Amino acid sequence: MTRIIADISISLDGFVTGPDPGPDNGLGTGGEALHTWAFSEDPDDRRILREATARSGAVVLGRRLFDVVDGPNGWDDTSGYGAGEVGKPSFVVVTSSPPKSVRLTGLDWTFVTSGLPDAVTAARERAEAASSDSGKDLDVVLMGGGATIGSAFAAGLVDALTLHLAPVVLGAGTPLFTGGAPRTLVQRGVTVTSTVTHLTYDVLR
């Protein structure tokens, strides 16, 4: 069964970027510390990254994050979602209008202009098709940015939440949670590595 999994790195004070994020400074000032674990040689960090990308049948991201990863300082053949780990999933971007051009033409991009729920539905269809083709259960991964995940969480679209809690206090930046209805979480896993604490929860609706 395809699940919708929100997966994001976060600081101890609840931010998913540092201050002043933008196209040329995607993680904001000091925000690189949030993703130290993704480049770590710690075997548990490597395993968690490998397992997360291997389960991805489709990935949802917001337009601001797309502009960062597709920008001149964004992803390339050696960096990006699951680089060097698995085959590349489909990517679904929530946006008010599609971009005029895409630099990363080697990836499967779909631009949804009718809102986040429709983007999640489109991603689920792609993940289910990929599951059928591969014979494996694959999920939809919400990779960000923070506003996209926060909105999906508030709207009750998220089945599971994975947080990579970095040992850093950023002081300001993009918060993950900014309101919405209360949600009950069931903790399913905790893995402490040399760089981060990986937390997994099921989200009860």
Side-chain angles (χ1 to χ4, degrees):
M1 178 179 177
T2 297
R3 298 185 303 160
I4 311 302
I5 300 176
D7 188 317
I8 197 164
S9 299
I10 189 169
S11 69
L12 289 173
D13 51 346
F15 296 106
V16 296
T17 74
D20 302 318
D24 297 324
N25 188 30
L27 290 172
T29 303
E32 294 82 1
L34 297 173
H35 289 182
T36 298
W37 74 272
F39 304 96
S40 164
E41 294 303 320
D42 186 293
D44 283 326
D45 286 333
R46 301 308 306 167
R47 174 183 57 80
I48 286 170
L49 181 63
R50 182 172 60 251
E51 291 174 351
T53 53
R55 74 169 183 247
S56 303
V59 175
V60 176
L61 62 159
R63 178 58 185 269
R64 289 183 182 178
L65 181 54
F66 168 79
D67 287 343
V68 171
V69 302
D70 194 55
N73 298 316
W75 292 352
D76 57 29
D77 290 339
T78 62
S79 66
Y81 192 88
E85 296 290 344
V86 294
K88 297 178 176 64
S90 299
F91 292 89
V92 177
V93 180
V94 189
T95 182
S96 59
S97 61
K100 293 180 179 179
S101 63
V102 176
R103 179 179 65 86
L104 296 169
T105 56
L107 300 178
D108 177 18
W109 295 103
T110 298
F111 298 92
V112 175
T113 60
S114 51
L116 181 56
D118 285 348
V120 171
T121 296
R124 185 191 296 275
E125 291 171 354
R126 284 155 178 76
E128 288 174 347
S131 297
S132 179
D133 291 342
S134 67
K136 300 186 298 183
D137 289 331
L138 299 176
D139 296 318
V140 172
V141 175
L142 306 180
M143 68 170 287
T148 298
I149 289 181
S151 295
F153 190 85
L157 299 174
V158 176
D159 298 313
L161 176 66
T162 298
L163 297 178
H164 311 284
L165 184 62
V168 60
V169 175
L170 294 173
T174 304
L176 180 57
F177 301 114
T178 58
R183 300 286 176 191
T184 300
L185 307 180
V186 178
Q187 186 165 287
R188 296 302 187 194
V190 179
T191 302
V192 179
T193 73
S194 59
T195 62
V196 75
T197 301
H198 303 280
L199 303 164
T200 59
Y201 303 92
D202 285 340
V203 181
L204 304 184
R205 298 176 184 172

